[in-house]
Amino acid sequence: MKRNGLRFTRFHWDGKALWQSCTNGSSEMVTNLSNAVITYLFNIILMRMVGADGVAAITIILYGQFLFNALYLGFSMGVAPIISFQYGAKNSEKLSNVYRISNRFVKISSGFMAVASILLAKPITAVFVSESSNTFAMTVTGFALFGINYLFSGYNVFTSSLFTALSDGKTSALVSFSRTFVCILASLLILPRLIGLNGVWLAVPVAEFITLGLSFFCQKRNLPKYGI
């Protein structure tokens, strides 16, 4: 009804706004596409190296990744509207303050998440497989090495979300595509040949570490023009 804040009305086609929305969300698109390809590649490599036990191990580890990265994803999605609002209001002081608090939170929590992933490796693995199985030992070892990535992934996830909130879809997609596809793909093709099975577990940490440098560069170069 007209007396309420929301009501039915005639819509008008705005192709430019729709295109900007699609391009600004491209980082989320490439993340989901990349996850499917990289998971398939993990399975193929591990099946060739250690068989079905390796596939089971990486599946458990990737389930754990969803759990631990949920903190960064949730925080980034929660703070994004605040960043967008302050940027749209051209309130540089509050925008910079939100950024500093967020940046500090991500950096501090990254250390805790990395330690937690190592400490919780056995309990999480035990949910899926028996402690007496070969898969259990393999998964716990993989968890410890894979967990190093949580030192860097939070900063990368936040950086991608930050630029999406600032309507800079290109930079957001660059960071997201690098961490979820390009760097992991290179790591998976190189590391297992050099150091064997441990190279598979370290592929994601190495990819996140390389992307960390890119994230830092993008923030250093682009944030000043947004008043941060």
Side-chain angles (χ1 to χ4, degrees):
M1 298 182 182
K2 290 187 176 181
R3 67 173 180 268
N4 295 328
L6 297 175
R7 60 182 183 273
F8 289 103
T9 184
R10 296 185 61 156
F11 67 88
H12 300 280
W13 176 263
D14 191 342
K16 182 179 180 181
L18 288 172
W19 175 249
Q20 289 176 338
S21 297
C22 289
T23 54
N24 196 40
S26 59
S27 62
E28 286 72 22
M29 179 191 71
V30 298
T31 295
N32 286 287
L33 289 175
S34 299
N35 284 339
V37 176
I38 294 301
T39 300
Y40 175 76
L41 188 58
F42 265 121
N43 290 344
I44 291 296
I45 292 174
L46 284 166
M47 182 63 76
R48 290 176 179 175
M49 294 182 69
V50 290
D53 285 345
V55 175
I58 193 60
T59 301
I60 296 170
I61 291 171
L62 291 178
Y63 282 155
Q65 185 184 30
F66 290 138
L67 173 66
F68 290 108
N69 274 344
L71 171 69
Y72 305 125
L73 291 170
F75 175 78
S76 297
M77 287 189 290
V79 78
I82 302 173
I83 293 173
S84 293
F85 178 84
Q86 298 301 343
Y87 173 60
K90 301 187 184 303
N91 195 333
S92 298
E93 183 179 350
K94 288 187 177 180
L95 178 60
S96 297
N97 189 42
V98 172
Y99 167 75
R100 284 194 297 269
I101 293 172
S102 301
N103 214 22
R104 192 177 303 120
F105 169 79
V106 169
K107 289 178 178 177
I108 293 173
S109 63
S110 293
F112 286 104
M113 295 303 288
V115 173
S117 70
I118 296 173
L119 295 178
L120 295 175
K122 289 185 177 181
I124 292 175
T125 304
V127 172
F128 298 94
V129 293
S130 170
E131 294 188 21
S132 60
S133 65
N134 293 331
T135 304
F136 183 86
M138 185 187 302
T139 306
V140 170
T141 300
F143 238 114
L145 296 174
F146 190 92
I148 298 171
N149 92 89
Y150 301 118
L151 290 171
F152 321 118
S153 63
Y155 190 83
N156 295 331
V157 170
F158 172 68
T159 298
S160 179
S161 179
L162 170 66
F163 284 107
T164 296
L166 295 171
S167 294
D168 189 346
K170 291 181 180 179
T171 303
S172 177
L174 174 63
V175 173
S176 183
F177 192 58
S178 295
R179 67 175 289 265
T180 60
F181 187 75
V182 177
C183 295
I184 295 181
L185 179 63
S187 297
L188 278 175
L189 293 177
I190 296 172
L191 292 178
R193 296 185 179 184
L194 296 178
I195 55 177
L197 183 59
N198 286 342
V200 179
W201 312 135
L202 289 171
V204 172
V206 169
E208 293 285 6
F209 179 72
I210 295 172
T211 307
L212 180 70
L214 176 63
S215 297
F216 182 79
F217 172 78
C218 289
Q219 288 199 28
K220 199 75 173 178
R221 179 182 180 184
N222 296 324
L223 290 185
K225 68 182 181 184
Y226 297 110
I228 301 177

